[in-house]
Amino acid sequence: MRVLLVTGRLAAPVVREAAGDAADVITAEVNIAAFITPKVLEPLIADKAKQYDLVLVSGLCGSDFSKLEAKLGVRIRLGPKHAFDIPLALKHADRIEFSHKVPADVLLADLKRGSALKELEAIEAAAKPA
């Protein structure tokens, strides 16, 4: 699955590092990724939208990208609110239908909780009393 992450100037280095080779990253002409709007996004990705299966914008964006999604023919959804959660979102991008309204990290909360519980169980099972 080809994923494009769209971010602002300030978060770009962190987002690129979090994405690694799992996704492409493009920087919008805004400082803060949460301020990306359909009007800002359209000229940025219009010529490359068909190259991707999914475009993720910051989970903090308050804009509705559904009309732009229909116009460009590519899914534009909310990614995680924080760059720390990008690897998990990308890992599950082909299995989860991301939302226009709910940030990806909220959708992935149950997976994160389950993973943490499994890790805790393994630590407890391996622990030896003093």
Side-chain angles (χ1 to χ4, degrees):
M1 170 176 275
R2 298 264 311 155
V3 179
L4 176 64
L5 299 172
V6 183
T7 190
R9 288 187 285 258
L10 294 176
V14 175
V15 170
R16 286 184 201 290
E17 184 179 337
D21 293 333
D24 293 336
V25 178
I26 193 165
T27 305
E29 290 298 315
V30 296
N31 285 331
I32 310 294
F35 297 150
I36 296 170
T37 63
K39 190 175 185 175
V40 169
L41 184 60
E42 184 174 5
L44 189 63
I45 68 166
D47 62 335
K48 49 183 99 13
K50 298 286 187 201
Q51 298 173 28
Y52 296 97
D53 302 305
L54 176 64
V55 175
L56 292 177
V57 296
S58 170
L60 295 171
C61 285
S63 297
D64 180 4
F65 294 93
S66 57
K67 289 180 184 173
L68 182 58
E69 179 180 278
K71 181 177 181 179
L72 297 180
V74 63
R75 291 184 301 146
I76 303 172
R77 305 298 164 87
L78 294 179
K81 292 182 273 186
H82 307 288
F84 176 81
D85 291 317
I86 289 172
L88 182 65
L90 294 175
K91 180 179 177 182
H92 296 284
D94 58 345
R95 288 177 242 138
I96 288 185
E97 185 62 35
F98 292 110
S99 171
H100 292 112
K101 297 181 183 196
V102 179
D105 53 307
V106 174
L107 296 175
L108 295 167
D110 287 339
L111 282 171
K112 287 171 45 175
R113 190 172 11 269
S115 175
L117 287 174
K118 282 183 185 176
E119 188 173 335
L120 182 59
E121 287 172 4
I123 290 169
E124 287 178 344
K128 295 184 174 42

